[in-house]
Amino acid sequence: MIDLHTHSTASDGTFSPSELIRLAKREGLKALALTDHDTTRGLPEAYEVAREEGIPFLCGVEISVKFNGPGHFHLLGYFLSPELPPLEETLKALQEARKRRNELMVEKLRALGVEITLTELEEIAKGEIGRPHFARLLVEKGYVRTPDEAFEKYLRKGAPAYVPKALLEPKEAIEKILQAKGIPVLAHPITLKLAPKELSSYLKELKELGLRGVEAYYSEHNRDFTNFLLHEAQRLGFLTTGGSDFHGANKPDIRLGRGFGNLRVPKECFERLKKELEKL
Ligand code: AMP
Ligand code: FE
Ligand code: FE
Ligand code: ZN
């Protein structure tokens, strides 16, 4: 069992980087990557503790990318090193965009009669603030009963308090990861919400922009979809990766390495990815 897609308290997970590594060890995982949203802040600690605990580890990040389609586009970047100076400015811009967006969402919620403040959000979050923190706060303050209800009623794309983030173009995001000696991988292709034929041609386009891999194994991918992606990866020469998208209590049904229960990411995904990184 391995897991190449996880979140810590540096973004919207609820386990600290060290706790995440120790959980991985307890659960018997054979390799792990930390891929927080728009930040590398958790990586040095995770890298160090993974070394101490003897868990094979890759550094990662997950960036939201512009997408003119029905769903949403997240790009994963994988690296050998936790220090990524070439990415710092890009990530800083994304974090600024997130801050502005959070302010706007607070305003929208207040206009809807939901009395929350940025300070309350900052007390909940230890790193980058995202919608899961809004959801938790709304539950705590009794405006909704569950985080799901918070998303449904207020936070999901199209809901009244939703504000899109200012994002990078796919080309730009892919190039930034390559410049930082990283490997760019399309996260959870299911969330693009494209039909197989459209997805096929979009993958080819992304390949031309420098994309190197697809996350074929993912909590929300069924077997047919994973097989489809494995086939596409072979056709286009992509690496394949996989992970649960573990967020701790912010996605309580998802278990590290196991997803909803039947996720199984082959160890070779980690080994091939690492080998390719060592060539860069
Ligand atoms: P943000 O980066 O602030 O746009 O928040 C995106 C994060 O919100 C995702 O990574 C998930 O952790 C979470 N999320 C998005 N949609 C939902 C949903 N419908 N229910 C629960 N969590 C969600
Ligand atoms: Fe998240
Ligand atoms: Fe994602
Ligand atoms: Zn994620």
Side-chain angles (χ1 to χ4, degrees), residues 38-103:
D38 303 336
T39 182
T40 56
R41 195 181 310 167
L43 294 177
E45 180 184 323
Y47 185 86
E48 193 46 41
V49 178
R51 207 178 49 85
E52 285 166 20
E53 299 283 345
I55 293 220
F57 179 75
L58 284 176
C59 298
V61 70
E62 182 177 27
I63 294 175
S64 307
V65 173
K66 264 185 211 163
F67 179 58
N68 300 319
H72 63 262
F73 185 155
H74 287 174
L75 185 68
L76 293 162
Y78 290 102
F79 312 87
L80 288 176
S81 165
E83 314 288 348
L84 298 164
L87 264 188
E88 258 164 38
E89 260 180 63
T90 303
L91 294 177
K92 227 167 93 191
L94 293 173
Q95 291 159 14
E96 288 301 320
R98 224 178 230 290
K99 274 198 193 109
R100 287 193 298 276
R101 180 227 207 184
N102 289 337
E103 286 161 14

Side-chain angles (χ1 to χ4, degrees), residues 12 37 74 98 101 129-132 148 151 165 247 251:
D12 56 4
H37 297 285
H74 287 174
R98 224 178 230 290
R101 180 227 207 184
I129 299 174
R131 286 180 289 159
D148 268 349
F151 271 93
K165 269 174 295 181
H247 281 66
K251 282 191 183 176

Side-chain angles (χ1 to χ4, degrees), residues 2-41:
I2 68 165
D3 199 330
L4 303 177
H5 188 158
T6 68
H7 295 265
S8 76
T9 47
S11 68
D12 56 4
T14 58
F15 284 69
S16 74
S18 323
E19 287 167 350
L20 188 69
I21 300 293
R22 298 209 172 94
L23 178 66
K25 176 129 193 192
R26 264 203 318 280
E27 297 276 5
L29 269 72
K30 299 293 179 234
L32 193 83
L34 175 61
T35 55
D36 275 310
H37 297 285
D38 303 336
T39 182
T40 56
R41 195 181 310 167

